[in-house]
Amino acid sequence: MTEFTMTTDADGVATIIWDVPGKSMNVMSYEGLAQVDKLMDEALADDAVKGIILTSGKEGSFAGGMDLNLIAKMKADAGDNPAKGLFDGVMDMHRLLRKIELAGMDPKTQKGGKPIACVLPGTALGIGLELPLSCHRIFAATNSKAKIGLPEIMVGIFPGAGGTTRLVRKMGAMAASPFLLEGKLVDPAKAKAAGLIDEVTDDPMAAARDWVLNAKDADLVKPWDAKGYKMPGGAPYHPAGFMTFVGASAMVNGKTQGVYPAAKALLSAVYEGALVPFDTALKIEARWFTSVLMNPSSEAMIRSLFINKEALEKGAVRPADVADQRVKKLGVLGAGMMGAGISLVSAQAGIEVVLIDQTQEAADRGKSYTSDFADKGIARKKTTPEKKEQLLSLITATTDLGALKGCDLIIEAVFEDPKVKAEMTQKVEAVIPEDCIFASNTSTLPITELAKASARPEQFIGIHFFSPVEKMLLVEIIKGKGTGDRAVAKALDYVRQIRKTPIVVNDARFFYANRCIIPYINEGIRMVAEGVEPALIENAAKLVGMPLGPLQLVDETSIDLGAKIARATKAAMGDAYPDAAVDDVIFWMENLGRLGRKTKAGFYSYDEKGKREGLWDGLGGSYAIAEEQPELTDVQHRLLFAQSLEAVRALEEGVLMDIREGDVGAILGWGFAPWSGGPLSWLDMIGAPYAAERCDQLTAKYGDRFTCPDLLRDMAAKGQSFYGRFGETAAAA
Ligand SMILES: C/C=C/C(=O)SCCNC(=O)CCNC(=O)[C@H](O)C(C)(C)COP(=O)(O)OP(=O)(O)OC[C@H]1O[C@@H](n2cnc3c(N)ncnc32)[C@H](O)[C@@H]1OP(=O)(O)O
């Protein structure tokens, strides 16, 4: 497949166009690298060529980077000695980019090279920016929608095609760190201001051509190849540079708790590379990049956070034979926090919204959420007053159910009371079109039960948002027993419209996400009851990559909600209810009125403004700290297994229908240790035999809730992994 082509004009300007057939955006492949390498060789050797322009044939983008599908299997493709195979492959990439950079110039005189410009019509990410960074000048089109940067760290790798070494030498470690360590993406104007690219213009091809035809020898010499080069901000052996590196290291460790291999490797590559000449630094970068590619975390992160996330967003689990169900008019019942957030994200997607509440004041308050959100955007120059008006014009706040006429989707977000919900369902079904889909945003009530109030149970479904709606990326779609395919397709098409990631699960107590997060919180609280040092519980959670410790999480979601869930679960389970020790602590806290952040008192103490201060020292008064504290690994495993075993049980019971959804949903829904790729990926990482053995040990020590699920036991016996057992499509059924 031809991915790069070259033409040379009468003035000797060779234009190399990157245009991968059948892709809406270029991505780099092994074949592409070989092709651009060959064309560069030809252009550099051809006396008729005076200069080169590298650009893309895609409108609005240069490239999305190296093909992440390829990176995910690079290790498997690298032969019997994968570390060597990977290192050699990375060094080949470095050689190509270095060849572009040196452009055939005489190494002694630094003269006689051919100018190479890169033209970016828009988005340029990963190697799609590293390749331009090796050229002599980068011209970008004026395109405020374009994203420019190095997002590799977000999927568990780092810019390993010279981007790390070049950026630090170009702008200094301090200025480079948001791009390298946080994967910050910017539009062309900001990229130019930051020094990532050189020019932004309406006609970048003309500007590049002009530059190529007039460039001087000195214009081709990169700062790091020029005599007397000094790293901006200082190299680590200078006091200022040293402090930058110490600060960056502390910041990275603070943010990642050392569990993300890519962040550590990146810092090492930057530090060690800054001490040595450029070409040696590239080798060091290649060595660290290889170590990251060898680490199972990078494969798991790419799989869950890019490949499978994207597959779910693009309809991997959508019923195939249902026509397009995009939403035109949405009715939202209940203008509280969830209803208001759902209205906001729907209006942002251009959907007409009718927001209903019992009083006009309540409905207006819900709409004002969108207004306030837009005001913040205006203050931060992310939107304009005109766009705000446009957004607000899409939302009708009213008490009149008649306004729901013509809606093709209703999302009910009223009080979590089955009676209230049933009444609303019936009232609303009387006015909406026959074919309208009715969804409940309940987080706790079974969909099949709620659907009993509906005259059209096949059109009844759960669409469960997480709070705050505008920030949380996951939407959990719940199929009740009677839910039909059109309702599932409608929910999926709607989630795609609002640009969130869906998972589809079968109905069961707490569905999937809450079902897994509750055992995590409960395990933390149970440890408090046992006298485990609360700081040990919270830190153990952070050290395995959970964004919030279980005690902080219950403070955020509120302790009275925890108590309410505990009462309802106990009522439903009767004697089989396993969490009495947890209730002891939860009800005690509830009686004390320490309900979490909202009362500025919970497992943590808060100041007047609600800022978290530290763990509440009164806890030890009733739940004395035991003299003997458990091993850190035991605490960590209790917290991880509590969630992961629940995910396995959800899979066994058919609540989860696809293991991709189990992993993606866990990371996006409740922040399950992203470095691991999700709970099922984590179990794959530690291996089923070890996981089963740990289950037995934890069961003997702490109780039956750690009993190894049959599925995991069977996998252990057969030496299987989840992704191995469930195959390419990863479908559980
Ligand atoms: C050593 C070097 C390492 C690297 O370079 S690692 C890769 C670093 N790059 C990334 O992490 C970026 C990943 N891609 C994205 O985040 C998004 O995509 C974009 C922001 C680039 C674009 O988003 P949007 O405008 O919403 O378009 P869309 O539909 O997501 O993407 C257009 C098509 O491009 C494919 N794509 C983009 N980047 C990559 C990539 N890096 N690897 C594989 N595919 C990619 C998508 O899948 C899709 O494809 P289809 O048109 O077939 O649906």
Side-chain angles (χ1 to χ4, degrees):
M1 184 164 65
T2 305
E3 299 179 10
F4 286 85
T5 52
M6 181 167 73
T7 51
T8 304
D9 68 16
D11 294 324
V13 177
T15 303
I16 298 178
I17 298 181
W18 187 5
D19 195 351
V20 181
K23 290 286 287 181
S24 61
M25 190 177 278
N26 289 321
V27 287
M28 189 59 91
S29 63
Y30 297 127
E31 227 176 322
L33 281 168
Q35 286 176 24
V36 68
D37 198 355
K38 185 163 171 284
L39 292 179
M40 281 290 174
D41 278 344
E42 280 172 27
L44 290 172
D46 185 349
D47 288 341
V49 172
K50 304 284 174 255
I52 302 162
I53 298 175
L54 173 64
T55 188
S56 145
K58 307 290 183 201
E59 204 181 316
S61 68
F62 181 69
M66 191 90 192
D67 187 344
L68 283 164
N69 298 286
L70 195 73
I71 297 190
K73 11 188 224 86
M74 254 181 183
K75 186 173 147 197
D77 289 347
D80 294 343
N81 185 349
K84 182 174 185 313
L86 287 168
F87 180 79
D88 291 348
V90 175
M91 283 309 295
D92 284 345
M93 234 165 19
H94 282 326
R95 265 188 288 278
L96 163 63
L97 269 59
R98 193 69 175 130
K99 176 164 64 193
I100 293 172
E101 193 159 65
L102 298 175
M105 68 177 78
D106 180 304
K108 280 204 184 116
T109 62
Q110 295 192 313
K111 288 189 174 152
K114 292 186 182 178
I116 305 179
C118 189
V119 169
L120 310 178
T123 292
L125 301 178
I127 200 172
L129 179 61
E130 295 177 285
L131 184 54
L133 283 170
S134 71
C135 298
H136 303 122
R137 202 156 176 87
I138 307 174
F139 299 81
T142 316
N143 175 355
S144 61
K145 292 214 171 109
K147 294 173 185 158
I148 297 185
L150 300 164
E152 287 92 330
I153 201 80
M154 307 305 288
V155 286
I157 51 176
F158 73 83
T164 299
T165 302
R166 284 193 177 84
L167 213 62
V168 169
R169 276 171 163 73
K170 199 172 160 73
M171 52 174 62
M174 182 75 103
S177 58
F179 296 104
L180 296 175
L181 287 166
E182 293 163 26
K184 180 178 175 183
L185 306 183
V186 287
D187 66 22
K190 290 202 181 100
K192 179 176 180 317
L196 275 179
I197 61 171
D198 302 297
E199 287 186 40
V200 183
T201 145
D202 291 341
D203 192 350
M205 276 306 279
R209 198 166 184 285
D210 189 47
W211 180 83
V212 158
L213 289 171
N214 294 292
K216 310 270 177 301
D217 283 327
D219 295 334
L220 314 191
V221 180
K222 288 287 174 69
W224 43 91
D225 287 323
K227 229 176 153 191
Y229 166 75
K230 284 203 170 62
M231 187 176 290
Y237 42 78
H238 289 300
F242 181 75
M243 285 319 290
T244 302
F245 282 89
V246 171
S249 177
M251 185 194 86
V252 169
N253 271 313
K255 276 195 178 171
T256 65
Q257 306 291 334
V259 292
Y260 290 85
K264 275 204 227 173
L266 167 67
L267 270 185
S268 304
V270 169
Y271 183 86
E272 292 170 22
L275 298 168
V276 293
F278 186 79
D279 288 298
T280 313
L282 287 179
K283 271 192 207 145
I284 289 172
E285 187 192 293
R287 184 163 64 81
W288 282 111
F289 191 49
T290 302
S291 80
V292 166
L293 294 175
M294 289 293 291
N295 194 304
S297 166
S298 64
E299 188 184 330
M301 279 182 81
I302 291 174
R303 186 175 60 207
S304 290
L305 291 173
F306 183 76
I307 299 173
N308 290 343
K309 175 175 171 288
E310 197 170 77
L312 295 174
E313 286 163 0
K314 291 194 170 151
V317 294
R318 186 187 186 280
D321 46 3
V322 182
D324 188 349
Q325 293 290 318
R326 250 172 295 187
V327 176
K328 292 183 194 73
K329 186 173 173 187
L330 170 73
V332 178
L333 313 179
M337 174 117 161
M338 295 308 283
I342 294 167
S343 303
L344 162 63
V345 297
S346 304
Q348 279 177 321
I351 300 170
E352 187 186 342
V353 180
V354 178
L355 177 59
I356 304 262
D357 211 313
Q358 280 174 317
T359 65
Q360 188 59 43
E361 196 192 350
D364 287 341
R365 206 177 316 119
K367 181 171 173 175
S368 68
Y369 191 76
T370 295
S371 177
D372 295 347
F373 180 87
D375 284 341
K376 282 185 206 134
I378 294 170
R380 279 191 264 126
K381 297 200 165 38
K382 297 232 169 201
T383 191
T384 60
E386 295 72 40
K387 285 192 180 145
K388 173 187 166 185
E389 287 315 311
Q390 215 176 329
L391 196 65
L392 289 174
S393 73
L394 285 167
I395 305 176
T396 305
T398 177
T399 57
D400 176 16
L401 291 185
L404 296 172
K405 274 195 196 109
C407 282
D408 49 330
L409 176 67
I410 301 290
I411 301 179
E412 163 282 293
V414 301
F415 199 59
E416 284 285 271
D417 178 332
K419 274 199 203 127
V420 179
K421 287 189 190 281
E423 206 175 292
M424 275 313 274
T425 306
Q426 280 158 2
K427 271 193 196 163
V428 168
E429 281 189 353
V431 294
I432 55 177
E434 282 272 305
D435 60 352
C436 180
I437 302 294
F438 192 106
S440 174
N441 175 53
T442 179
S443 55
T444 52
L445 302 170
I447 293 301
T448 308
E449 286 302 307
L450 292 180
K452 286 184 179 158
S454 167
R456 308 157 192 153
E458 73 289 353
Q459 288 170 215
F460 197 100
I461 195 162
I463 302 185
H464 175 212
F465 284 85
F466 296 79
S467 181
V469 176
E470 65 280 12
K471 285 211 181 116
M472 298 299 285
L473 299 173
L474 187 75
V475 178
E476 190 174 24
I477 295 169
I478 303 107
K479 277 174 78 170
K481 282 220 169 71
T483 304
D485 276 358
R486 196 171 68 80
V488 176
K490 185 95 194 171
L492 282 166
D493 291 355
Y494 165 65
V495 172
R496 190 166 185 179
Q497 275 175 282
I498 59 171
R499 298 178 73 92
K500 294 200 182 278
T501 310
I503 59 169
V504 181
V505 300
N506 276 318
D507 196 16
R509 174 169 288 280
F510 303 131
F511 319 132
Y512 172 63
N514 285 345
R515 172 186 180 147
C516 296
I517 197 70
I518 291 170
Y520 169 67
I521 291 176
N522 283 355
E523 203 57 35
I525 298 175
R526 194 187 304 269
M527 285 192 248
V528 170
E530 288 169 12
V532 178
E533 178 71 69
L536 173 58
I537 303 166
E538 295 293 89
N539 287 334
K542 297 268 177 66
L543 286 169
V544 291
M546 293 300 295
L548 302 184
L551 305 180
Q552 190 184 343
L553 187 59
V554 71
D555 264 12
E556 295 294 333
T557 49
S558 95
I559 284 166
D560 48 332
L561 176 68
K564 192 175 158 201
I565 290 174
R567 283 191 195 99
T569 313
K570 200 172 184 169
M573 293 183 77
D575 287 347
Y577 181 67
D579 288 325
V582 177
D583 292 358
D584 202 41
V585 183
I586 278 277
F587 295 152
W588 176 68
M589 295 285 281
E590 190 187 34
N591 283 336
L592 287 178
R594 296 191 69 92
L595 304 183
R597 185 191 280 280
K598 68 178 181 187
T599 53
K600 298 185 188 131
F603 286 102
Y604 282 81
S605 298
Y606 299 82
D607 70 9
E608 282 295 296
K609 289 184 183 150
K611 193 167 173 270
R612 206 161 37 88
E613 285 181 322
L615 280 153
W616 177 45
D617 52 15
L619 207 51
S622 275
Y623 295 96
I625 308 295
E627 251 178 49
E628 203 177 318
Q629 291 292 307
E631 292 280 328
L632 175 65
T633 317
D634 251 22
V635 179
Q636 290 177 320
H637 277 179
R638 284 176 72 173
L639 296 173
L640 284 177
F641 274 96
Q643 303 168 75
S644 304
L645 295 183
E646 208 51 48
V648 179
R649 287 182 201 115
L651 185 65
E652 273 185 333
E653 290 165 19
V655 174
L656 261 185
M657 290 175 277
D658 186 312
I659 60 170
R660 293 173 294 186
E661 296 180 301
D663 275 344
V664 174
I667 299 178
L668 302 187
W670 73 90
F672 184 95
W675 63 270
S676 70
L680 303 172
S681 286
W682 179 68
L683 289 169
D684 276 359
M685 227 177 248
I686 62 171
Y690 175 69
E693 190 187 321
R694 275 305 274 154
C695 283
D696 293 342
Q697 290 164 356
L698 292 172
T699 306
K701 220 163 158 185
Y702 301 109
D704 288 346
R705 63 193 178 284
F706 292 108
T707 300
C708 184
D710 291 343
L711 172 62
L712 190 58
R713 180 89 63 204
D714 186 53
M715 285 168 47
K718 294 177 177 151
Q720 290 175 330
S721 64
F722 284 98
Y723 283 86
R725 179 172 177 128
F726 294 108
E728 275 293 299
T729 64

